[in-house]
Amino acid sequence: KMASSSAPWIGSAYLFLQSTCKTIVLPSLYESSQKKPSVFKALKLALADSTGSMNGVDMLKVHCSHPHLIVQLKFCKQENCRRFLQSYREGALQESLQSHLQLSLAITRVPLEMELKAGNEHLDNMLKDEDRCLECIYREKPDRLRDEEITELEEYLKSLIVHQSINNNITVQGCPPPNSPSLPCSSQDSSLSPQVTFIFQGQQFANRTLTPDDHQKFAKFVSKKWKQVGRSLQKNCRALRDPVIDNLALEYDREGLYEQAYQLLLRFIQSEGKKATIARLIAALEENGLISLAEELLGLHSNEDCS
C-alpha cells in the first residue's frame, strides 16, 4: 500500500513545458510582468481540466529554465493524480493547455512539447503502467512550500474572476442575480451571502475578501489556536470538515505552527473563493478570544504585537 487509509496521499512531480515555435518562448512570456498572469491562468485552467477540479493539483513553483517552463506540482489525493496522469497520457492536458494559452495570450496556437518527471524517473517512459507512475509521484514528497509569487497570482486570478462576475451580473446588494442558481439571499449562512459591512467592537467595517496580507498575519500570530479557529470556520465551510484539520496538523507538523495555520486558511480561501471574507474570519477569531489578532487584521493597532 502506498498510504494508510488515515494518512493523506501526497506526492510531487515536475511538468516540463517547451514551445516548439521559435517565436513563442514560454520562460520569456512568464518572466514578463504583463504576460505572467495570462500564462499562469492558462496553466491553472489546464490543470483544473486535467483533474476535474480547481483544487485537484497545487502548483508550488514555476521555474524559468530556458527553453523550458518547469511547473512543480503537488497532489494531495491519489484519485486526482490518477486523473491527471490519464489526461497527460491521452494528450488531453496538452490540448487543453495549448487552447488556454491561445485564449489567454491572444496568440496563434502554441505547439507544445511536454515531459513529466518525479525525482530521477522520467514518467513518459512508463505512462502505460499507471500504478508505477503513482508510486514514483507518491515517493517524491514536495520539498518546498508554495512560492509567494504563486499565492499572489492565485489571488489575482480570483479577484479577476470576481471582477468579471460583478461586471457581467450587476447584482442587488448582497444578493445573486435573478437567474443565478445560488441559494436565496434570505439564508442566514454567512458563507452563502456575504454581507457588505459588519460590526466589530461597536464599529462598522467594510467586508472584503481575505488578502495575502491577512493570510500571512493570521498564520504568524494565531499560534496554537489555529485548530480552534479552523473548527469555528468549518461550521460553514465543507472544505474544513473533519478530518481535514487533523490531517493538516499531521501533514505540516514538521514545518510548525505558522505553516499549519497558513495551510488551514489557504484551504478556506481556495474553497470559498470570494466568500472567504474578513467578516467570517473575524467572527471565528472573536469566538476563540483572539481579539488582538482581529484588531490587527482590521488595522486597529498596526504597531502592536498580536501574540
Side-chain angles (χ1 to χ4, degrees):
K1 276 191 171 183
M2 281 185 275
S4 67
S5 57
S6 60
W9 193 98
I10 295 170
S12 181
Y14 286 89
L15 181 64
F16 288 71
L17 305 169
Q18 180 183 358
S19 167
T20 54
C21 174
K22 289 182 180 178
T23 58
I24 300 171
V25 184
L26 291 178
S28 298
L29 288 171
Y30 194 78
E31 285 168 340
S32 158
S33 57
Q34 289 181 318
K35 300 289 186 185
K36 181 179 287 184
S38 298
V39 177
F40 178 80
K41 180 182 176 183
L43 287 168
K44 181 77 177 172
L45 294 174
L47 289 169
D49 289 345
S50 74
T51 60
S53 164
M54 285 298 278
N55 302 320
V57 55
D58 196 16
M59 280 187 276
L60 297 182
K61 186 172 177 63
V62 178
H63 306 262
C64 293
S65 179
H66 291 261
H68 291 101
L69 200 63
I70 308 168
V71 188
Q72 187 174 3
L73 304 173
K74 175 185 174 184
F75 298 91
C76 289
K77 287 185 179 178
Q78 185 178 332
E79 56 265 36
N80 287 335
C81 189
R82 195 179 288 277
R83 284 194 203 102
F84 169 85
L85 285 169
Q86 289 168 351
S87 176
Y88 182 85
R89 184 178 66 240
E90 292 163 5
L93 175 63
Q94 185 174 2
E95 281 290 318
S96 176
L97 184 52
Q98 286 174 332
S99 175
H100 285 302
L101 282 169
Q102 186 179 357
L103 288 169
S104 293
L105 295 165
I107 55 177
T108 52
R109 193 162 179 80
V110 184
L112 287 178
E113 282 185 356
M114 305 177 92
E115 192 178 354
L116 191 62
K117 294 181 183 178
N120 295 323
E121 299 287 352
H122 291 250
L123 302 187
D124 298 76
N125 300 332
M126 58 178 89
L127 286 173
K128 289 182 180 177
D129 189 346
E130 197 171 276
D131 287 335
R132 189 180 166 201
C133 288
L134 285 166
E135 183 69 54
C136 292
I137 291 171
Y138 177 71
R139 201 163 53 230
E140 288 300 314
K141 300 303 181 194
D143 61 356
R144 62 160 51 245
L145 305 174
R146 182 196 275 192
D147 203 65
E148 280 184 20
E149 183 180 65
I150 296 288
T151 302
E152 287 168 10
L153 286 164
E154 291 269 11
E155 293 298 325
Y156 175 80
L157 187 56
K158 279 180 200 163
S159 67
L160 201 65
I161 292 165
V162 171
H163 182 68
Q164 287 171 346
S165 170
I166 290 168
N167 284 347
N168 292 340
N169 303 298
I170 298 171
T171 62
V172 178
Q173 182 171 307
C175 292
N179 60 349
S180 168
S182 301
L183 287 154
C185 300
S186 59
S187 169
Q188 293 181 343
D189 185 339
S190 63
S191 69
L192 302 176
S193 54
Q195 67 269 42
V196 175
T197 60
F198 66 100
I199 304 294
F200 174 74
Q201 293 184 341
Q203 292 185 54
Q204 193 170 42
F205 292 89
N207 199 9
R208 55 177 172 76
T209 52
L210 293 169
T211 66
D213 188 50
D214 297 328
H215 198 164
Q216 288 173 2
K217 282 182 180 176
F218 171 81
K220 184 178 179 182
F221 295 121
V222 71
S223 192
K224 293 178 181 177
K225 285 197 171 182
W226 71 270
K227 273 190 175 185
Q228 289 166 250
V229 176
R231 294 207 157 83
S232 295
L233 290 172
Q234 79 176 185
K235 295 170 190 172
N236 293 326
C237 178
R238 286 185 185 176
L240 296 180
R241 299 276 160 88
D242 291 332
V244 171
I245 294 170
D246 289 332
N247 285 347
L248 286 174
L250 288 169
E251 184 182 344
Y252 295 97
D253 181 51
R254 285 186 181 180
E255 286 90 341
L257 293 172
Y258 176 93
E259 190 58 30
Q260 289 170 327
Y262 189 91
Q263 292 296 328
L264 171 85
L265 203 59
L266 181 62
R267 296 286 194 286
F268 178 68
I269 290 167
Q270 286 180 332
S271 68
E272 298 297 295
K274 64 182 178 180
K275 294 170 188 169
T277 61
I278 189 71
R280 292 174 69 185
L281 182 56
I282 295 298
L285 294 173
E286 276 193 285
E287 193 173 307
N288 292 286
L290 293 164
I291 303 303
S292 184
L293 177 49
E295 290 171 348
E296 175 71 23
L297 292 176
L298 294 172
L300 296 179
H301 55 72
S302 57
N303 296 321
E304 292 178 35
D305 192 272
C306 295
S307 53

